[in-house]
Short mmCIF file of all heavy atoms in Angstrom, two decimals:
data_model
loop_
_atom_site.label_atom_id
_atom_site.label_comp_id
_atom_site.label_asym_id
_atom_site.label_seq_id
_atom_site.Cartn_x
_atom_site.Cartn_y
_atom_site.Cartn_z
N GLY B 72 -87.72 -67.55 12.60
CA GLY B 72 -86.61 -68.35 12.18
C GLY B 72 -86.53 -68.47 10.68
O GLY B 72 -85.45 -68.32 10.07
N LEU B 73 -87.68 -68.73 10.03
CA LEU B 73 -87.73 -68.87 8.55
C LEU B 73 -87.27 -67.57 7.90
O LEU B 73 -86.51 -67.59 6.93
CB LEU B 73 -89.14 -69.18 8.13
CG LEU B 73 -89.64 -70.60 8.35
CD1 LEU B 73 -91.13 -70.73 7.97
CD2 LEU B 73 -88.82 -71.60 7.52
N ALA B 74 -87.69 -66.44 8.47
CA ALA B 74 -87.35 -65.14 7.90
C ALA B 74 -85.83 -64.90 7.94
O ALA B 74 -85.23 -64.43 6.99
CB ALA B 74 -88.08 -64.01 8.58
N VAL B 75 -85.25 -65.28 9.11
CA VAL B 75 -83.79 -65.13 9.26
C VAL B 75 -83.03 -65.95 8.24
O VAL B 75 -82.12 -65.54 7.53
CB VAL B 75 -83.35 -65.42 10.68
CG1 VAL B 75 -81.82 -65.43 10.78
CG2 VAL B 75 -83.91 -64.39 11.68
N VAL B 76 -83.49 -67.19 8.12
CA VAL B 76 -82.88 -68.13 7.16
C VAL B 76 -83.00 -67.59 5.74
O VAL B 76 -82.02 -67.57 4.98
CB VAL B 76 -83.49 -69.54 7.27
CG1 VAL B 76 -82.98 -70.44 6.13
CG2 VAL B 76 -83.15 -70.17 8.61
N ALA B 77 -84.22 -67.14 5.36
CA ALA B 77 -84.41 -66.63 4.03
C ALA B 77 -83.58 -65.41 3.74
O ALA B 77 -82.98 -65.28 2.65
CB ALA B 77 -85.92 -66.30 3.81
N LEU B 78 -83.48 -64.49 4.75
CA LEU B 78 -82.66 -63.28 4.59
C LEU B 78 -81.19 -63.67 4.36
O LEU B 78 -80.52 -63.18 3.47
CB LEU B 78 -82.77 -62.41 5.82
CG LEU B 78 -83.95 -61.42 5.90
CD1 LEU B 78 -83.88 -60.70 7.25
CD2 LEU B 78 -83.87 -60.45 4.78
N ALA B 79 -80.69 -64.57 5.20
CA ALA B 79 -79.28 -64.94 5.13
C ALA B 79 -78.99 -65.64 3.85
O ALA B 79 -77.98 -65.35 3.14
CB ALA B 79 -78.91 -65.81 6.31
N LEU B 80 -79.92 -66.57 3.44
CA LEU B 80 -79.67 -67.36 2.23
C LEU B 80 -79.74 -66.51 0.99
O LEU B 80 -78.79 -66.45 0.18
CB LEU B 80 -80.74 -68.47 2.20
CG LEU B 80 -80.42 -69.72 1.36
CD1 LEU B 80 -79.20 -70.41 1.92
CD2 LEU B 80 -81.61 -70.65 1.36
N GLY B 81 -80.89 -65.81 0.82
CA GLY B 81 -81.07 -64.96 -0.36
C GLY B 81 -80.06 -63.83 -0.44
O GLY B 81 -79.40 -63.65 -1.45
N GLY B 82 -79.90 -63.14 0.71
CA GLY B 82 -78.96 -62.05 0.75
C GLY B 82 -77.51 -62.50 0.53
O GLY B 82 -76.78 -61.90 -0.22
N GLY B 83 -77.16 -63.59 1.18
CA GLY B 83 -75.77 -64.09 1.13
C GLY B 83 -75.40 -64.51 -0.30
O GLY B 83 -74.35 -64.11 -0.82
N LEU B 84 -76.25 -65.27 -0.93
CA LEU B 84 -75.98 -65.77 -2.29
C LEU B 84 -75.86 -64.61 -3.27
O LEU B 84 -74.92 -64.55 -4.07
CB LEU B 84 -77.02 -66.75 -2.76
CG LEU B 84 -77.02 -68.15 -2.14
CD1 LEU B 84 -78.19 -68.98 -2.58
CD2 LEU B 84 -75.68 -68.85 -2.41
N ALA B 85 -76.84 -63.70 -3.17
CA ALA B 85 -76.86 -62.56 -4.11
C ALA B 85 -75.67 -61.65 -3.88
O ALA B 85 -75.07 -61.12 -4.82
CB ALA B 85 -78.15 -61.76 -3.97
N TRP B 86 -75.29 -61.47 -2.59
CA TRP B 86 -74.13 -60.62 -2.28
C TRP B 86 -72.89 -61.19 -2.90
O TRP B 86 -72.09 -60.49 -3.54
CB TRP B 86 -73.98 -60.54 -0.71
CG TRP B 86 -72.83 -59.69 -0.31
CD1 TRP B 86 -71.56 -60.07 -0.05
CD2 TRP B 86 -72.81 -58.25 -0.15
NE1 TRP B 86 -70.80 -59.02 0.29
CE2 TRP B 86 -71.51 -57.90 0.28
CE3 TRP B 86 -73.80 -57.28 -0.27
CZ2 TRP B 86 -71.20 -56.56 0.51
CZ3 TRP B 86 -73.48 -55.95 -0.02
CH2 TRP B 86 -72.17 -55.61 0.37
N ARG B 87 -72.69 -62.53 -2.73
CA ARG B 87 -71.49 -63.17 -3.27
C ARG B 87 -71.43 -63.04 -4.78
O ARG B 87 -70.42 -62.69 -5.39
CB ARG B 87 -71.46 -64.64 -2.88
CG ARG B 87 -70.10 -65.02 -2.24
CD ARG B 87 -70.01 -66.47 -2.08
NE ARG B 87 -70.28 -67.20 -3.31
CZ ARG B 87 -70.07 -68.49 -3.46
NH1 ARG B 87 -69.61 -69.21 -2.45
NH2 ARG B 87 -70.34 -69.10 -4.63
N SER B 88 -72.56 -63.31 -5.45
CA SER B 88 -72.56 -63.24 -6.90
C SER B 88 -72.30 -61.82 -7.34
O SER B 88 -71.61 -61.56 -8.32
CB SER B 88 -73.87 -63.82 -7.46
OG SER B 88 -74.95 -63.00 -7.06
N GLY B 89 -72.92 -60.84 -6.64
CA GLY B 89 -72.75 -59.43 -7.02
C GLY B 89 -71.34 -58.94 -6.85
O GLY B 89 -70.87 -58.09 -7.60
N ARG B 90 -70.63 -59.47 -5.89
CA ARG B 90 -69.24 -59.07 -5.60
C ARG B 90 -68.30 -59.68 -6.60
O ARG B 90 -67.20 -59.12 -6.86
CB ARG B 90 -68.81 -59.51 -4.22
CG ARG B 90 -69.32 -58.60 -3.10
CD ARG B 90 -68.43 -57.38 -2.99
NE ARG B 90 -69.26 -56.22 -2.64
CZ ARG B 90 -68.91 -54.97 -2.73
NH1 ARG B 90 -67.73 -54.64 -3.22
NH2 ARG B 90 -69.74 -53.98 -2.39
N THR B 91 -68.59 -60.83 -7.15
CA THR B 91 -67.58 -61.59 -7.94
C THR B 91 -67.87 -61.53 -9.46
O THR B 91 -66.99 -61.81 -10.27
CB THR B 91 -67.53 -63.05 -7.54
OG1 THR B 91 -68.86 -63.56 -7.51
CG2 THR B 91 -66.91 -63.15 -6.14
N VAL B 92 -69.11 -61.15 -9.85
CA VAL B 92 -69.42 -61.19 -11.28
C VAL B 92 -68.57 -60.24 -12.11
O VAL B 92 -68.18 -59.16 -11.64
CB VAL B 92 -70.92 -60.91 -11.49
CG1 VAL B 92 -71.24 -59.45 -11.17
CG2 VAL B 92 -71.35 -61.23 -12.91
N ALA B 93 -68.22 -60.64 -13.33
CA ALA B 93 -67.41 -59.74 -14.18
C ALA B 93 -68.23 -58.55 -14.59
O ALA B 93 -69.47 -58.63 -14.73
CB ALA B 93 -66.96 -60.51 -15.44
N MET B 94 -67.56 -57.39 -14.75
CA MET B 94 -68.28 -56.16 -15.12
C MET B 94 -69.02 -56.29 -16.46
O MET B 94 -70.05 -55.66 -16.61
CB MET B 94 -67.28 -55.01 -15.21
CG MET B 94 -67.02 -54.33 -13.90
SD MET B 94 -68.50 -53.56 -13.23
CE MET B 94 -68.25 -53.87 -11.50
N THR B 95 -68.49 -57.07 -17.36
CA THR B 95 -69.17 -57.26 -18.64
C THR B 95 -70.49 -58.01 -18.49
O THR B 95 -71.30 -57.95 -19.33
CB THR B 95 -68.26 -58.02 -19.64
OG1 THR B 95 -67.68 -59.11 -18.92
CG2 THR B 95 -67.19 -57.14 -20.20
N ALA B 96 -70.66 -58.75 -17.35
CA ALA B 96 -71.86 -59.52 -17.15
C ALA B 96 -72.88 -58.75 -16.34
O ALA B 96 -73.89 -59.26 -15.89
CB ALA B 96 -71.52 -60.81 -16.46
N MET B 97 -72.66 -57.45 -16.10
CA MET B 97 -73.52 -56.63 -15.28
C MET B 97 -74.95 -56.58 -15.75
O MET B 97 -75.86 -56.70 -14.93
CB MET B 97 -72.96 -55.19 -15.15
CG MET B 97 -73.27 -54.54 -13.90
SD MET B 97 -73.08 -55.59 -12.46
CE MET B 97 -71.34 -55.41 -12.09
N PRO B 98 -75.25 -56.43 -17.07
CA PRO B 98 -76.64 -56.37 -17.48
C PRO B 98 -77.45 -57.56 -17.02
O PRO B 98 -78.58 -57.43 -16.51
CB PRO B 98 -76.56 -56.28 -18.99
CG PRO B 98 -75.25 -55.72 -19.29
CD PRO B 98 -74.34 -56.21 -18.23
#
Side-chain angles (χ1 to χ4, degrees):
Chain B
L73 284 173
V75 171
V76 171
L78 275 177
L80 201 63
L84 287 176
W86 181 268
R87 229 190 55 170
S88 64
R90 279 281 146 196
T91 51
V92 68
M94 273 298 143
T95 43
M97 209 44 84

